[in-house]
């Protein structure tokens, strides 16, 4: 029997490479929302920090987050053709489905964007979408997805590329996998004490399908 019966994936930075589009959109929206424009050097340095530190550096307040998140989802939907899956994601998801592992997606991005990028065939292997999560609201969505899947928390795992993904999985009482090909640095991810750290999609596949 495989170790995990339910694999819950983040989307941006984990399944899909959307960094250039989202990075451009964040810079372009600075004047609209009144936060600081980061230089390329500042943005690179903040990869080692958690989201709260990034917000502080940009001068973003909690009350601004919902409007900014809505704007970012609108940008993603309008330019979804610029978002591509990382190489190897499609066979990974199909292999998990073939192994009897349920696949879910929990993301701050919109479900319509994610379905467009995945395509109808690949959406068919995803058993649950819980999208539009608040920046720090993923834990509740993890819990709901686990309940809907009918699996015990011990057999569920959250997979993401940011510290908040690891925090949310821990808060939801499930295991976590930090992937190092997304936004945050490995060092920043390891500070959140994830259950596992992987550096390639092949390593992730081997981990999830291990018995």
């Amino acid at each position: 029997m495989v170790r995990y019966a339910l694999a819950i994936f983040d989307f941006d930075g984990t399944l899909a490479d959307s960094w250039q589009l989202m990075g451009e959109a964040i810079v372009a929206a600075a004047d609209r929302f009144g936060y600081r424009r980061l230089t390329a050097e500042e943005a690179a340095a903040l990869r080692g920090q958690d989201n709260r530190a990034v917000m502080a550096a940009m001068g973003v307040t909690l009350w601004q987050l919902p409007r900014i998140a809505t704007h970012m989802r609108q940008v993603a939907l309008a330019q979804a053709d610029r978002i591509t899956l990382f190489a190897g994601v499609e066979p990974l998801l199909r292999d998990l489905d073939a192994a009897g592992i349920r696949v879910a997606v929990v993301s701050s991005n919109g479900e319509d964007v994610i379905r467009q990028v995945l395509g109808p065939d690949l959406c068919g292997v995803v058993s649950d979408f819980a999208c539009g999560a608040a920046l720090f609201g993923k834990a509740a969505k993890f819990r709901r997805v686990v309940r809907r899947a009918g699996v015990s928390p011990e057999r569920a795992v959250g997979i993401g590329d940011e510290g908040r993904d690891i925090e949310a999985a821990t808060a939801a009482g499930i295991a976590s996998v930090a992937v190092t090909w997304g936004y945050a640095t490995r060092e920043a991810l390891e500070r959140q004490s994830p259950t596992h750290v992987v550096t390639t999609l092949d390593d992730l596949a081997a981990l999830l399908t291990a018995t």
Side-chain angles (χ1 to χ4, degrees):
M1 183 173 67
V2 293
R3 180 185 312 180
Y4 298 115
L6 172 64
I8 308 174
F9 286 88
D10 169 56
F11 182 71
D12 296 284
T14 301
L15 296 178
D17 185 0
S18 55
W19 168 245
Q20 183 171 351
L21 172 61
M22 294 294 97
E24 290 173 2
I26 281 288
V27 171
D31 292 341
R32 176 174 180 171
F33 294 104
Y35 55 76
R36 282 187 61 233
R37 290 174 181 262
L38 297 178
T39 66
E41 292 75 16
E42 288 173 322
L46 286 170
R47 287 190 65 212
Q49 305 297 319
D50 63 22
N51 290 97
R52 295 169 184 83
V54 174
M55 287 170 56
M58 294 173 64
V60 172
T61 60
L62 284 173
W63 67 266
Q64 291 176 298
L65 284 179
R67 292 176 59 229
I68 295 172
T70 297
H71 172 73
M72 296 298 287
R73 285 192 288 270
Q74 291 169 343
V75 170
L77 181 59
Q79 301 185 56
D81 59 329
R82 293 183 58 192
I83 303 173
T84 58
L85 298 177
F86 288 112
V89 163
E90 181 172 353
L92 168 67
L93 298 185
R94 294 194 184 282
D95 287 349
L96 295 181
D97 183 56
I101 300 170
R102 295 171 68 95
V103 173
V105 176
V106 170
S107 174
S108 299
N109 213 329
E111 183 173 340
D112 44 4
V113 175
I114 294 169
R115 285 184 175 275
Q116 184 172 332
V117 176
L118 289 176
D121 289 345
L122 202 53
C123 283
V125 307
V126 179
S127 63
D128 201 349
F129 291 88
C131 303
L135 187 63
F136 300 110
K138 282 191 170 183
K141 289 189 179 289
F142 281 162
R143 294 187 191 99
R144 285 196 290 272
V145 168
V146 171
R147 286 198 301 270
R148 289 197 291 254
V151 304
S152 66
E154 293 77 17
R155 299 207 63 211
V157 60
I159 303 149
D161 69 308
E162 294 185 60
R164 65 191 177 104
D165 299 316
I166 310 308
E167 287 180 2
T170 301
I174 65 175
S176 58
V177 179
V179 305
T180 62
W181 55 81
Y183 173 72
T185 62
R186 179 171 187 144
E187 293 74 19
L189 291 166
E190 288 180 338
R191 287 197 292 271
Q192 300 299 329
S193 301
T195 312
H196 313 279
V197 179
V198 297
T199 57
T200 69
L201 279 164
D202 287 342
D203 290 344
L204 179 58
L207 170 68
L208 295 177
T209 57
T211 57

